[in-house]
Amino acid sequence: MTLSHPPQDTPAATASLGSLIRGHRLRIGLTQRELADLSTISVRAIRDLEKGKAQRPRTDTVRLIADALRLGPRARAALEAAARSGPRGGGEVRRLSMERAAPPVPLYPLVGREAETGIVVEELGSGSERLVTVVGLSGVGKTRLALEVAARLYDAGLPVLWHSGDGTTADCLRADDDPLPQLADACSRFLRGLGEPEELLPELAEALAALHDGGPAARGAVLVLDGVDTAALDFGRLSRLLRAFPGLRLLVTGERPWNVPGERLFLLSPLEAPVPSAGHTDAPAVRFFLSQLRRVRPDIVPDAQALADITWICHRLDGHPAALGAAASWLTVCDLTTLRNVVDSDPAPLLDHLAGGPEGSRLQVRVSRTLAALPAPYRTLIGELCREGDGEFLFQDVVRLTGRTLPECGRLIRELLVGGVIRAGGDGGRSAFRVLCVVRAAAGATTAVV
């Protein structure tokens, strides 16, 4: 990525005045309006300066902008020199952004999501869907899927603007010193009702045109909002954004859908976990666990018995990636057979990652929060299903336990699926479901479900 800006106290004698102001503004995370308020200069004047329309600003204007940007002596001198030298032919911002924007780089390879990735890439890449919302329980792999989709769309020629919501897992390398992530953050603020269209839309149009080598921004771009609270997003502002940029597509990840017109809801379930008797040691959940095993205990070479233990662990934990990763971390202090026995008897203590750290104990906390946010009838049903046992349940079981009508039970099951607290299964053509192990553990550890 080459979209860059001059760092503090670094000479930039060859840069234009507009690119210097814009670069310093983005470096400290200011919008044009915020810079205008701090400098007491109008938003229009700031915009004209950054676009090169204002040829020779007054000395006081440059001083006020430098003060607002908190520039050091060398950066201030470079800004004043650029103001004295006048325009440099325009288009400086475009020359600073000839390469397409790249998404963050994931730290680990993707395992077992080939089909899901292909579907989302095809829909966003073709433009058949312009708003895809990936939902699922915490730890199921929404961010990792979004990273893979973004990387493939980028390789196909689409610029990617990436915004990470509060509390998202930082399993990727992000270029925080680049203006484009800050532009993505500005888009997120705009969709949450913050900022004004006259601030964001011209800046976004200029950036997209630059990313397409000065061509029309309608060629397309992808805005990823990872781990956002969809309830805080404004559909009216989304509509304005999509109308203003016909080539823009949005990929949103969260724990619940946005429920707006045109939304393509994509439910991300846990990885496929085999029935132990089937002996499917190449199932996605098994491959994922083996990848974790190599990181924790590279000395263990799985034999037939080890694969049998791993297959059982993956089945017992429903193929939930974060649960499998947490369980695998315990192999630093126990062997596979012991781990299997503990998972079989009471997996709840193993759902906290043994390494601890900021991510170590968040899975059960987040799942408990998801359960607590469910309406009372849903929590009651989960409690009844947990008391019935840990096997699969059928549609008829929900009718029996709730006494509700078929349409009501259908909607209830759908909402639990969308919330990620149950997963669909099936054997011999029947529709069966299962309460996730991590949900059972959270329900047993709290009073959220009774």
Side-chain angles (χ1 to χ4, degrees):
M1 297 174 68
T2 59
L3 249 180
S4 59
H5 48 267
Q8 177 79 324
D9 291 335
T10 298
T14 60
S16 70
L17 175 64
S19 67
L20 286 174
I21 294 175
R22 175 185 169 84
H24 288 303
R25 174 174 65 81
L26 293 175
R27 172 178 55 79
I28 60 177
L30 294 179
T31 65
Q32 290 179 335
R33 178 170 292 279
E34 289 169 340
L35 177 57
D37 292 341
L38 289 172
S39 64
T40 68
I41 297 172
S42 70
V43 175
R44 181 172 181 176
I46 297 294
R47 187 180 303 130
D48 287 347
L49 284 168
E50 290 191 357
K51 289 185 176 181
K53 293 181 179 179
Q55 305 294 325
R56 300 265 184 185
R58 296 190 307 173
T59 303
D60 286 345
T61 298
V62 177
R63 177 181 57 78
L64 290 170
I65 291 176
D67 291 342
L69 292 171
R70 303 192 294 275
L71 298 184
R74 298 182 67 188
R76 182 182 293 266
L79 193 72
E80 293 170 349
R84 289 193 301 270
S85 63
R88 297 183 179 272
E92 183 67 25
V93 173
R94 287 183 171 84
R95 287 195 294 274
L96 288 172
S97 55
M98 296 299 288
E99 289 189 3
R100 293 173 288 119
V105 178
L107 297 180
Y108 311 112
L110 182 68
V111 178
R113 294 296 191 189
E114 293 81 6
E116 296 96 326
T117 302
I119 292 172
V120 180
V121 168
E122 191 281 327
E123 292 179 346
L124 287 174
S126 66
S128 61
E129 300 289 350
R130 296 188 64 192
L131 171 61
V132 176
T133 303
V134 179
V135 298
L137 193 65
S138 179
V140 80
K142 300 183 294 293
T143 295
R144 186 61 188 87
L145 177 72
L147 285 168
E148 188 70 18
V149 169
R152 295 191 188 183
L153 291 173
Y154 170 74
D155 289 341
L158 286 172
V160 175
L161 305 177
W162 184 282
H163 165 78
S164 296
D166 295 335
T168 52
T169 303
D171 282 346
C172 59
L173 301 175
R174 174 179 168 177
D176 285 325
D177 60 340
D178 194 284
L180 284 176
Q182 298 182 33
L183 180 57
D185 295 343
C187 290
S188 173
R189 290 194 299 271
F190 174 75
L191 291 174
R192 286 184 282 120
L194 306 173
E196 297 300 327
E198 60 269 17
E199 296 177 9
L200 173 69
L201 298 186
E203 186 173 357
L204 183 57
E206 183 178 9
L208 294 181
L211 291 169
H212 287 294
D213 296 338
R219 291 180 185 172
V222 181
L223 171 61
V224 181
L225 304 179
D226 179 42
V228 298
D229 180 7
T230 53
L233 301 180
D234 187 308
F235 177 66
R237 290 195 167 210
L238 169 69
S239 300
R240 180 161 187 175
L241 201 62
L242 295 180
R243 285 196 303 269
F245 304 100
L248 184 65
R249 306 101 193 258
L250 266 71
L251 175 59
V252 179
T253 73
E255 294 190 2
R256 53 184 171 177
W258 196 345
N259 291 323
V260 295
E263 178 183 39
R264 195 292 200 215
L265 181 60
F266 192 93
L267 172 60
L268 189 64
S269 298
L271 295 168
E272 181 186 348
V275 177
S277 59
H280 293 160
T281 57
D282 61 341
V286 175
R287 288 191 281 123
F288 180 85
F289 191 92
L290 288 172
S291 72
Q292 300 296 305
L293 176 64
R294 284 190 291 270
R295 294 172 56 197
V296 177
R297 290 290 302 276
D299 58 301
I300 296 180
V301 179
D303 55 15
Q305 181 57 52
L307 286 174
D309 290 338
I310 291 171
T311 301
W312 176 258
I313 292 170
C314 292
H315 172 74
R316 186 77 170 87
L317 297 181
D318 304 297
H320 188 280
L324 294 176
S329 74
W330 285 82
L331 290 173
T332 57
V333 297
C334 67
D335 56 38
L336 267 171
T337 302
T338 302
L339 181 65
R340 170 179 175 165
N341 292 336
V342 176
V343 168
D344 193 29
S345 60
D346 182 17
L350 303 180
L351 297 180
D352 284 347
H353 201 287
L354 190 60
E359 301 295 328
S361 60
R362 297 175 66 180
L363 177 58
Q364 290 204 71
V365 171
R366 288 188 170 187
V367 173
S368 297
R369 188 166 62 239
T370 297
L371 286 173
L374 291 174
Y378 298 80
R379 299 199 304 272
T380 300
L381 175 59
I382 291 295
E384 293 288 344
L385 292 170
C386 289
R387 283 188 285 271
E388 289 261 314
D390 61 358
E392 293 183 336
F393 65 92
L394 305 176
F395 185 91
Q396 296 92 317
D397 295 321
V398 176
V399 176
R400 171 176 56 84
L401 290 171
T402 64
R404 294 173 177 267
T405 65
L406 291 180
E408 289 176 323
C409 290
R411 284 190 289 270
L412 195 154
I413 292 176
R414 179 188 181 277
E415 290 304 312
L416 291 179
L417 285 168
V418 170
V421 297
I422 66 174
R423 71 171 299 170
D427 182 20
R430 62 177 188 157
S431 295
F433 309 91
R434 182 182 179 91
V435 179
L436 294 187
C437 180
V438 293
V439 174
R440 292 179 180 277
T446 67
T447 59
V449 181
V450 294

